[in-house]
Amino acid sequence: AQSVTQPDIHITVSEGASLELRCNYSYGATPYLFWYVQSPGQGLQLLLKYFSGDTLVQGIKGFEAEFKRSQSSFNLRKPSVHWSDAAEYFCAVGPSGGGATNKLIFGTGTLLAVQP
Amino acid sequence: NAGVTQTPKFQVLKTGQSMTLQCAQDMNHNSMYWYRQDPGMGLRLIYYSASEGTTDKGEVPNGYNVSRLNKREFSLRLESAAPSQTSVYFCASNPTGRETQYFGPGTRLLVL
């Protein structure tokens, strides 16, 4: 069955520290991969996406993610966290094949807290 | 350019009441989606619409109906609300299936 796993429900880091949020997926073929961020009371905003090509993708707000096919992972990283990064982060996968719609499967999210 | 808008922002219903959640996008997108978000479960797809005039079930369609009124609007209807439908509902859209989905701000629904 297709699924996305975010093993860390909650992470706390100090401001200025590095960050890595984990995402593992189970999918029949090479999927499209996304990271979204949700600030409290807000909708989801796309941080970055991987469709093909270079497996290290850069996103907004200084985030990057690396697609590792052998590990079925798409971990999100940031070298230095800012207090404004406190939010919930969602990994999602979608079909890379044809079709008119992209039925995304979301992970359960990782809530990031940033200590001063 | 407002993107994806949803109304209402917040609603309280009693069990058995009906209501319609409205979603509109002004980006000329073909595909639209309804998700629900519950604590510890991420977002789950309720229904989607590949294009005007078509709708299909997602992962959790029971208890819901949808209407793709035109290219801009995609509504979600609860005919007889149940406490299990207490959730935050998000509408999303994208140009076609393989592209980034853009999300609305959400509707918080409480069913008593």
Side-chain angles (χ1 to χ4, degrees):
Chain A
Q2 300 164 350
S3 65
V4 177
T5 302
Q6 294 181 245
D8 304 304
I9 296 172
H10 187 269
I11 285 181
T12 300
V13 300
S14 299
E15 191 168 15
S18 63
L19 172 70
E20 181 169 27
L21 302 182
R22 296 181 290 165
C23 173
N24 293 94
Y25 64 89
S26 173
Y27 212 79
T30 300
Y32 289 167
L33 297 155
F34 305 82
W35 274 100
Y36 282 88
V37 60
Q38 183 181 31
S39 297
Q42 303 297 314
L44 278 73
Q45 180 183 22
L46 180 73
L47 280 177
L48 47 80
K49 61 188 178 186
Y50 172 78
F51 281 3
S52 64
D54 192 345
T55 57
L56 183 64
V57 294
Q58 303 297 321
I60 62 171
K61 304 184 181 185
F63 285 91
E64 66 177 26
E66 186 171 12
F67 170 55
K68 293 186 177 180
R69 186 190 306 273
S70 61
Q71 299 177 18
S72 296
S73 69
F74 189 56
N75 294 349
L76 182 71
R77 300 194 294 252
K78 186 170 185 178
S80 178
V81 170
H82 188 263
W83 64 266
S84 60
D85 293 325
E88 191 159 21
Y89 292 79
F90 292 93
C91 180
V93 301
S96 60
T101 54
N102 192 350
K103 295 168 64 175
L104 294 180
I105 300 170
F106 282 84
T108 53
T110 297
L111 187 61
L112 174 66
V114 180
Q115 288 181 333
Chain B
N1 188 336
V4 180
T5 58
Q6 292 182 238
T7 56
K9 285 185 169 48
F10 182 74
Q11 183 72 46
V12 180
L13 292 178
K14 295 181 180 178
T15 296
Q17 288 185 317
S18 63
M19 80 161 293
T20 299
L21 282 66
Q22 306 286 354
C23 173
Q25 51 89 11
D26 61 2
M27 297 176 281
N28 201 37
H29 288 171
N30 288 307
S31 302
M32 298 185 73
Y33 311 79
W34 275 106
Y35 293 88
R36 60 177 289 172
Q37 183 181 31
D38 302 292
M41 303 192 72
L43 278 77
R44 293 179 291 168
L45 184 64
I46 305 171
Y47 270 94
Y48 65 98
S49 170
S51 61
E52 184 179 353
T54 68
T55 61
D56 282 290
K57 296 179 180 179
E59 181 185 354
V60 288
N62 290 345
Y64 305 95
N65 287 298
V66 291
S67 295
R68 184 74 182 268
L69 305 170
N70 47 54
K71 191 171 186 178
R72 289 187 64 249
E73 298 172 290
F74 188 37
S75 63
L76 178 71
R77 183 160 178 83
L78 287 69
E79 291 290 353
S80 179
S84 61
Q85 294 178 305
T86 292
S87 188
V88 182
Y89 292 86
F90 288 99
C91 178
S93 70
N94 62 357
T96 62
R98 292 190 236 179
E99 299 182 43
T100 302
Q101 290 185 23
Y102 294 87
F103 285 80
T107 294
R108 295 181 177 275
L109 177 65
L110 174 63
V111 183
L112 302 174

